[in-house]
């Protein structure tokens, strides 16, 4: 039986990496963010291709992802953005994974675990400059960094932060964070007596603030081909993930016929209703019920009725001539039209990140 499937054109990643690389100073390192199954694209093959294209650093949220990255990029730096626990320290070290320290307490715990294993663990320290999420507050930063850098089990290698808002119409928000970060850099480098690897910008900051590239940048969405279409952006990239399903049934129904759970759609005239092999269990967002579109024979066809767990219904129009078994494009290009994750996200009231990472890991991914 034909389910839905994802097709990943890794040559698209290569093109995006080169477009980004061309815009950077040679000394700026790219830390490619590949968490959440490489934003739904499939972690292993994406890392392998990126490493082949010269990417030397990757960032993930969890240890299991870091271990998977290591299998495909034996020589790369791997930054672990989430909170690592004491029990994971020996694995992190064995696989040369660099944790991000986000509090003094966590840093001291890591140091103790590292000492117990008679090792020195390289870490990056994250400063909360305004995101209000992970990271050390800037209060008493000098004391905290001195304490961390004096711990025998730790080697402070880098300093990072993350922007909450990068909005060209309100540039002061990101600028305040940038200034806080640079002040933290001064304090931290003075406290540990060394220059640290500094990295701050993810995709939007990369697009609008070349001057903040620093020693490294942490792009995610940009390398997957999104977040590059606004006016004034610096780098143009293109998506390279296609998601397809198949028509499982096409039937002609009369006017006034209800479609799907709770009969939220009724046909206006005699029409062809097509049911396709994808549902919310595959990651097709349920909020697209009665509001999304997919491509059939190169034209947009409306999603009608509620999205079910495994099926989605379309109104194909009267006398469509469309046949069971035909291919349907959910994300990608077909004929003269295209549908990408950011447009779909707009219908669903979300962002491309969610549309992409929602695609279940169970969905088959083919790489070409
Ligand atoms: C700490 C951190 N850095 C970088 C990124 C990459 O962000 P983007 O995909 O917007 O480039 C993320 C994404 O969530 C992140 O959490």
């Amino acid at each position: 039986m034909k389910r839905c499937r994802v097709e990943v054109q890794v040559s698209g990643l290569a093109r995006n990496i080169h477009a980004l690389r061309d815009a950077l100073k040679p000394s700026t390192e790219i830390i490619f963010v590949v968490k959440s199954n490489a934003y739904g694209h499939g972690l292993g093959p994406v890392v392998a291709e990126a490493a082949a294209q010269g990417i030397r650093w990757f960032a993930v949220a969890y240890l299991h992802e870091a271990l998977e990255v290591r299998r495909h990029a034996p020589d790369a730096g791997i930054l672990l953005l989430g909170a690592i626990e004491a029990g994971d320290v020996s694995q992190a070290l064995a696989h040369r994974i660099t944790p991000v320290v986000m509090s003094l307490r966590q840093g001291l715990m890591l140091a103790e675990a590292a000492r117990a294993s008679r090792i020195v663990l390289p870490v990056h320290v994250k400063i909360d400059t305004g995101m209000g999420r992970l990271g050390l507050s800037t209060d008493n930063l000098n004391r905290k960094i001195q304490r961390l850098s004096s711990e025998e089990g730790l080697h402070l290698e880098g300093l990072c932060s993350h922007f909450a808002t990068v909005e060209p119409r309100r540039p002061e928000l990101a600028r305040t964070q940038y200034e806080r970060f640079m002040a933290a850099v001064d304090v931290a480098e003075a406290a540990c007596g060394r220059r640290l690897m500094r990295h701050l910008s993810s995709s939007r900051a990369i697009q609008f603030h070349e001057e903040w590239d620093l020693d490294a940048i942490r792009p995610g969405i940009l390398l997957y081909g999104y977040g590059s279409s606004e006016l004034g952006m610096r780098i143009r990239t293109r998506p390279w993930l296609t998601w397809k399903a198949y028509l499982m049934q096409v039937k002609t129904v009369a006017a006034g016929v209800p479609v799907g759970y709770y009969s939220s759609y009724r046909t206006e005239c005699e029409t062809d209703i097509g049911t396709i092999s994808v549902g919310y269990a595959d990651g097709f967002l349920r909020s697209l019920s009665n509001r999304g579109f997919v491509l059939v024979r190169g034209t947009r066809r409306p999603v009608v009725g509620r999205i079910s767990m495994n099926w989605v219904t379309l109104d194909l129009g009267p006398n469509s001539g469309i046949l069971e078994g035909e291919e349907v494009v959910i994300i990608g290009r077909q004929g003269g039209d295209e549908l990408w994750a950011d447009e779909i996200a707009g219908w669903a009231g979300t962002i491309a990140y969610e549309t992409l990472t929602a695609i279940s890991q169970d969905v088959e991914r083919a790489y070409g």
Side-chain angles (χ1 to χ4, degrees), residues 143-192:
R143 185 182 58 77
K144 289 185 257 189
I145 298 286
Q146 267 180 359
R147 178 72 203 275
L148 289 172
S149 64
S150 67
E151 288 293 316
E152 273 175 20
L154 296 184
H155 174 69
L156 261 58
E157 187 182 85
L159 204 69
C160 58
S161 188
H162 193 48
F163 286 115
T165 311
V166 179
E167 184 44 69
R169 281 169 302 180
R170 297 192 62 195
E172 71 284 0
L173 297 175
R175 183 160 303 281
T176 302
Q177 281 197 260
Y178 171 76
E179 284 164 3
R180 281 189 196 138
F181 182 66
M182 292 316 288
V185 165
D186 288 343
V187 171
E189 292 185 351
C192 69

Side-chain angles (χ1 to χ4, degrees), residues 1 4 15 88 93 118 228 318 339:
M1 284 174 79
C4 63
R15 262 196 301 280
D88 295 330
L93 199 94
R118 291 193 167 67
S228 75
L339 282 182

Side-chain angles (χ1 to χ4, degrees), residues 245-247 250 272 274-276 293-303 313-317 320-330 332-337 339:
Y246 299 89
L247 277 154
V250 178
D272 293 344
T275 302
I276 61 172
F293 293 85
V294 300
L295 298 174
V296 186
R297 294 199 178 169
T299 357
R300 292 173 181 223
R301 314 283 171 157
V303 168
T313 35
L314 310 175
D315 191 339
L316 299 171
S320 67
I322 292 166
L323 304 172
E324 289 172 3
E326 284 192 36
E327 191 172 275
V328 171
V329 169
I330 305 164
R333 207 176 278 120
Q334 194 189 50
D337 205 351
L339 282 182

